[in-house]
Amino acid sequence: VQLQASGGGLVQPGGSLRLACTGSGLSFSGYTVAWFRQAPGKEREFVIVNRLGGGSNSYAQSVKGRFSVSRDNAKNTVYLQMNSLKPEDTAVYYCAAVPGRPITSSVSSTQIYDYWGQGTQVTVSS
């Protein structure tokens, strides 16, 4: 099983990026997929989750109204759309997957996820 995160890069404040997480060896149609990020010297933090079966997606307050997540099961890919980017969004972004639909209170914990991508760097700077 592998998760491949892509789409990172350098963007100016206020700009947008779309990250993609593509799975191989598993079918996202049976998984909840989340995005986390880790800035230098900081712990990995939860960003947003796309829960299996749909419904409302949980997200960190710091990205509310700016980030959104979607999936394309036919392409076995989950997308993170990031708008109105700020310098404080600079981090390595990781996708993670867990089978099924975990309870809402657990989705922000790194411990519940079985599979992780390698990360993609996002730098927001002028």
Side-chain angles (χ1 to χ4, degrees), residues 68-89:
S68 62
V69 64
S70 61
R71 67 166 65 202
D72 184 339
N73 285 337
K75 295 183 178 180
N76 217 32
T77 299
V78 173
Y79 301 99
L80 174 62
Q81 179 66 45
M82 305 186 294
N83 300 327
S84 302
L85 283 161
K86 305 176 181 180
E88 51 264 43
D89 295 318

